[in-house]
Amino acid sequence: MDWKEVAALIFSDVKEDVAELEARYPRRNLPEGACVTRFAPSPTGYMHIGGLYAALVSWRMAAQTDGVFYLRIEDTDAKREIKDGINQIVQALHQYGIEFDEGPFDPEKGAYGPYIQSQRKELYRAYVKRLMEEGGAYPCFCTEDDLAAIRKEQEDKKEDMGYYGSYARCRELSPEEACEKIKNGESFVVRLRSCGEKEKKAVCHDLIKGDIELPENINDVVLLKSDGIPTYHAAHAIDDYLMGTTHVIRGDEWISSYPIHEQLFAAFHLPLPKYAHIAPIMKSENGSKRKLSKRKDPEAAVSYYSEQGYPKEAIIEYMLTIANSDYEEWRREHPEADNSEFEFRLSRMSVSGALFDILKLNDISKRVIAEKSEEQLFEEIRIWADQYDATLASVIRADEEKFKGSIRLWKYNGKKVRRDVAKWSDLSAMYPYLYDLESEVASYEFDETTQAEDVKELLLSYLEEYSFDVDAEKWFEDVKEIAGKKNYCANKKEYKANPEAYKGMIADACGMIRVAITGKKNTPDLYSIMQFIGKERFEQRVRTCVEKLN
Ligand code: GLU
């Protein structure tokens, strides 16, 4: 008896052999240099910002070489799966403009499917069958208890963990013994008969990190679990070959698995793809760098950016800035260009991990928002509010034209475009006073040094003397005149030369009026706010403030 017979017994369900399969999945006919990349998430629903980052990189590599970018769902670990997990991933990427050429959509796109691993069982089994026929794989009958005992012994003896050497008991079973156990109905997994040697090195020619030397894999890793489903390792090699992947771009937590993968490609007689391992996105904390953590950092989840209302272009622009160090320079030279014109290179990615800086993201986002037309802003805010901010959504529905007016109010300062909204949730500081969402201003951010008496005095004389229906210029002239009488200086130089002689500057007087009607120190243009809320509400708010100061 030989391993062929054991394989025939185990894999009686396998209908096609490897040669037939490979004919069914012909090599892709693509131009020289075209990259075939993939995004291969597990359908856990949660999308880490690092996943979006890796997907973006893979997508760019394919797009700029006229290659193919596909989605493969790695659902071999059913325990981690959530209902609708696939859809959530596809939606998240779609939201950021990352589109797949192929994948498990409805209807499926592409000729290399199915693109969901749980539907590819027979393909994996055909390869593992052939490997077993060649003596490169064997059934292992060790129980959970057996494996726990092996682990314990290795721990006690401080030896490397794993199923290897004398620990790999089932490796020595003869085909007859294996057959008998199978016929007796014993549960088993299928393991690789590793030909790795402890002293030897596997070298990963990584396109981001350069050559990485790792110890060869000596472990007889599991290829098929007891339910016949492959492990990630086996499925990765077979799928990436059959689907024609040229570049495996993935997180660098997988580097330690590289020696296994290299061995598996060889065992299955498959050519090795190129590898690029992306360093994780890091966060600076107390002077040191650490990985952005799902548990500790809300900004680690892609959903955070949608909830906050960052425009998708800002996220992509920021990701490109941290992905390739020369992107910013390119952007300065090509302010108008579509980012797809930038030539992205894996070799220019950070080896140790790009630092995530939310302030920088905010800056980029402000620029992106400033460039959008009022119509675009209106549409995007409306869609965002419908999903994330019910109060704002009802304000918009109540009077769309008026709402557009409020966009103009924060977007412009005269003719100049302002840049101080980074995300739609920032707007929530402004809408209460623009739309009376709270019955009255809840608290006033007056400077600590400001005297209540001075504020009252200024507000009352302003109310008495000002005119509402004037243009911005005349309005400011009036403020200067009224505040001037109360000893607020209109000239910076004069004030600086002799500050004790004045109550403050005109800007301080404007600040008082601003806080009186909005509660806040920082707001869009004061004149525009007054015009937006109208004379009656303006005066009423000033009076309320004076009353509260009494
Ligand atoms: N399914 C793996 C994950 O969830 C993907 C690893 C790979 O890209 O090869 O991270």
Side-chain angles (χ1 to χ4, degrees):
M1 187 174 216
D2 61 13
W3 287 109
K4 272 199 171 141
E5 284 167 71
V6 183
L9 184 64
I10 294 178
F11 297 100
S12 57
D13 57 315
V14 172
K15 309 227 162 28
E16 271 174 310
D17 64 18
V18 168
E20 284 165 323
L21 275 181
E22 291 186 357
R24 200 144 65 76
Y25 291 92
R27 299 296 77 204
R28 290 174 184 271
N29 191 5
L30 290 169
E32 173 99 25
C35 297
V36 179
T37 59
R38 82 291 196 279
F39 184 51
S42 301
T44 56
Y46 178 83
M47 182 117 164
H48 192 280
I49 189 76
L52 180 67
Y53 185 58
L56 173 68
V57 171
S58 303
W59 175 54
R60 293 306 297 256
M61 288 305 293
Q64 73 187 16
T65 55
D66 292 326
V68 174
F69 175 54
Y70 70 85
L71 173 67
R72 181 173 75 221
I73 299 297
E74 307 214 320
D75 59 347
T76 54
D77 186 358
K79 284 196 291 296
R80 297 172 57 215
E81 214 170 305
I82 66 150
K83 208 172 144 263
D84 203 38
I86 300 178
N87 202 18
Q88 286 182 27
I89 292 166
V90 174
Q91 281 312 316
L93 293 171
H94 174 71
Q95 208 181 344
Y96 288 97
I98 299 178
E99 304 292 353
F100 296 99
D101 300 305
E102 299 176 7
F105 308 107
D106 190 16
E108 182 173 274
K109 261 163 79 180
Y112 291 82
Y115 293 86
I116 300 181
Q117 286 186 330
S118 58
Q119 297 171 15
R120 297 170 67 84
K121 203 170 151 185
E122 75 220 64
L123 310 182
Y124 310 123
R125 291 178 65 76
Y127 274 93
V128 178
K129 178 182 182 198
R130 184 179 70 178
L131 187 58
M132 187 176 283
E133 288 170 348
E134 294 167 349
Y138 63 89
C140 164
F141 303 89
C142 285
T143 61
E144 279 305 320
D145 287 348
D146 296 335
L147 296 176
I150 292 175
R151 273 198 298 275
K152 169 102 183 40
E153 191 179 334
Q154 287 169 339
E155 256 167 36
D156 291 346
K157 294 187 180 162
K158 298 201 167 26
E159 286 184 325
D160 291 338
M161 308 299 274
Y163 201 81
Y164 61 89
S166 58
Y167 293 109
R169 279 181 237 149
C170 295
R171 186 180 170 118
E172 303 310 330
L173 290 176
S174 66
E176 287 79 6
E177 287 166 321
C179 237
E180 200 184 312
K181 283 174 175 290
I182 294 166
K183 284 185 178 152
N184 285 342
E186 280 188 46
S187 165
F188 64 90
V189 298
V190 177
R191 288 184 185 272
L192 170 75
R193 195 182 294 278
S194 169
C195 50
E197 290 175 39
K198 200 173 173 190
E199 295 69 35
K200 284 202 182 155
K201 298 281 178 218
V203 182
C204 174
H205 302 292
D206 192 89
L207 295 176
I208 296 172
K209 298 180 186 253
D211 284 359
I212 307 166
E213 248 191 28
L214 298 145
E216 262 191 9
N217 170 54
I218 56 164
N219 249 304
D220 285 357
V221 290
V222 175
L223 302 176
L224 299 179
K225 297 181 259 187
S226 55
D227 53 7
I229 302 278
T231 54
Y232 160 70
H233 303 303
H236 152 59
I238 295 163
D239 282 345
D240 276 323
Y241 173 71
L242 288 180
M243 293 174 158
T245 311
T246 60
H247 291 66
V248 172
I249 300 172
R250 61 184 180 186
D252 69 2
E253 67 273 23
W254 296 104
I255 286 187
S256 56
S257 305
Y258 173 82
I260 300 176
H261 296 166
E262 188 195 65
Q263 234 174 42
L264 287 178
F265 274 95
F268 291 133
H269 310 293
L270 303 174
L272 197 66
K274 293 191 168 77
Y275 282 90
H277 288 96
I278 301 182
I281 296 182
M282 310 293 278
K283 177 174 177 146
S284 164
E285 194 177 66
N286 306 328
S288 57
K289 273 166 98 180
R290 64 164 177 81
K291 281 188 201 175
L292 260 187
S293 128
K294 174 174 173 178
R295 205 167 43 80
K296 289 195 222 157
D297 310 309
E299 72 270 30
V302 171
S303 54
Y304 171 83
Y305 302 90
S306 319
E307 285 158 19
Q308 291 290 311
Y310 282 96
K312 64 175 187 199
E313 302 90 330
I315 303 291
I316 297 296
E317 186 78 6
Y318 180 61
M319 295 256 151
L320 288 170
T321 341
I322 58 172
N324 262 190
S325 49
D326 53 342
Y327 182 78
E328 267 185 289
E329 195 185 325
W330 175 86
R331 178 47 89 204
R332 270 194 295 277
E333 284 163 17
H334 306 86
E336 306 288 323
D338 189 294
N339 62 32
S340 61
E341 286 169 35
F342 172 75
E343 192 196 342
F344 186 85
R345 296 227 199 116
L346 289 171
S347 58
R348 290 204 213 107
M349 289 194 78
S350 161
V351 168
S352 60
L355 204 57
F356 186 85
D357 177 355
I358 199 116
L359 297 177
K360 181 107 187 251
L361 166 64
N362 285 345
D363 271 353
I364 289 180
S365 196
K366 285 176 187 175
R367 196 182 70 214
V368 166
I369 290 178
E371 278 160 15
K372 287 183 186 283
S373 70
E374 278 171 46
E375 269 313 307
Q376 270 173 315
L377 291 169
F378 173 75
E379 263 319 293
E380 287 184 32
I381 298 169
R382 192 180 59 77
I383 292 169
W384 177 80
D386 270 343
Q387 194 169 354
Y388 297 106
D389 187 339
T391 316
L392 185 57
S394 59
V395 162
I396 299 173
R397 268 196 299 273
D399 189 341
E400 292 195 355
E401 286 314 308
K402 184 156 188 216
F403 185 74
K404 285 180 189 163
S406 69
I407 293 179
R408 230 163 289 138
L409 180 125
W410 56 257
K411 187 169 175 191
Y412 298 103
N413 189 2
K415 284 210 171 90
K416 251 178 65 199
V417 174
R418 292 159 51 94
R419 281 191 186 175
D420 55 9
V421 172
K423 49 194 189 302
W424 311 137
S425 55
D426 288 350
L427 301 173
S428 65
M430 200 155 44
Y431 287 115
Y433 61 76
L434 290 181
Y435 284 97
D436 279 338
L437 296 180
E438 289 153 16
S439 53
E440 51 189 45
V441 175
S443 62
Y444 296 98
E445 288 177 359
F446 287 116
D447 276 337
E448 275 176 21
T449 53
T450 307
Q451 303 293 321
E453 283 312 312
D454 290 340
V455 180
K456 274 194 292 188
E457 182 192 44
L458 179 89
L459 293 178
L460 288 173
S461 50
Y462 186 72
L463 268 193
E464 214 156 282
E465 295 181 41
Y466 92 115
S467 330
F468 188 86
D469 293 314
V470 289
D471 66 15
E473 226 168 283
K474 171 78 172 79
W475 171 84
F476 192 54
E477 284 308 314
D478 287 355
V479 177
K480 277 204 281 197
E481 201 190 310
I482 301 167
K485 285 194 222 159
K486 295 288 165 204
N487 206 15
Y488 291 85
C489 182
N491 182 304
K492 202 171 181 176
K493 255 197 194 152
E494 282 172 26
Y495 177 75
K496 284 238 158 114
N498 198 5
E500 290 81 29
Y502 300 98
K503 283 232 168 95
M505 300 228 331
I506 294 297
D508 299 317
C510 286
M512 292 175 185
I513 305 172
R514 181 189 308 277
V515 175
I517 63 167
T518 65
K520 312 234 172 285
K521 264 198 268 196
N522 291 318
T523 72
D525 177 56
L526 177 56
Y527 170 78
S528 310
I529 297 175
M530 285 172 61
Q531 296 301 315
F532 189 83
I533 62 177
K535 184 164 191 268
E536 202 177 313
R537 279 166 65 210
F538 168 70
E539 293 185 0
Q540 183 206 327
R541 284 201 199 164
V542 173
R543 272 191 218 103
T544 309
C545 179
V546 171
E547 272 163 33
K548 287 208 175 165
L549 288 171
N550 277 330

